[in-house]
Amino acid sequence: MSDRPNGATRIVVVTVVRGRHDHLRAQHRSLAAGRRPPDHVVVVAMADPEVAGIVASGPLADRTSVLPVEAGPRLPLARARNTGAGAALSADPTALLIFLDVDCLVGPGLVEGYFDAWQRTRVGRNLFAGTVGYLPRLTDRRTTSGRSRARHRTPPGRYRPP
């Protein structure tokens, strides 16, 4: 993990995955295309040895760690997330963690948006939740780039945090 200048807070994205390799590739492309990419990404591979090779050939290879976690037929999602968070916080106890499901693509301002929200509050450990939108069915591979932000939809009745 590279150091940030002047002790600035590091932003770490934590994702858990088993299978869903195309989703992981698309997520990393969307993170890399953001106005402020994360300083580090922790990918927790639940009994999925192929993940390391996928990450190594992706756009965030130089800033991503892959942590293997054993898994049976029931995926240990909570344990995997905690493993990723623990690794990130062990490396930097002041890191700002962003948890993303593997099927999430980010808009260009997501990382800086969470960082800005954190900087405005700075009250201990905070929990921020962003609005989730859903892309239409992926019939065109270009939509996995994260640039189809204008085409996403938010389901009716879904809470929209400030």
Side-chain angles (χ1 to χ4, degrees), residues 26 80 141 161:
R141 284 285 185 200

Side-chain angles (χ1 to χ4, degrees), residues 105-155:
L105 302 179
V106 303
L110 179 119
V111 172
E112 73 181 354
Y114 277 120
F115 182 72
D116 290 345
W118 175 81
Q119 282 212 298
R120 282 193 309 273
T121 59
R122 295 254 187 155
V123 182
R125 288 270 181 216
N126 297 311
L127 178 63
F128 301 99
T131 302
V132 176
Y134 295 88
L135 294 170
R137 287 211 173 268
L138 296 178
T139 56
D140 179 351
R141 284 285 185 200
R142 290 175 297 181
T143 60
T144 62
S145 69
R147 291 190 180 97
S148 56
R149 172 173 77 102
R151 292 180 29 194
H152 84 276
R153 60 181 173 77
T154 301

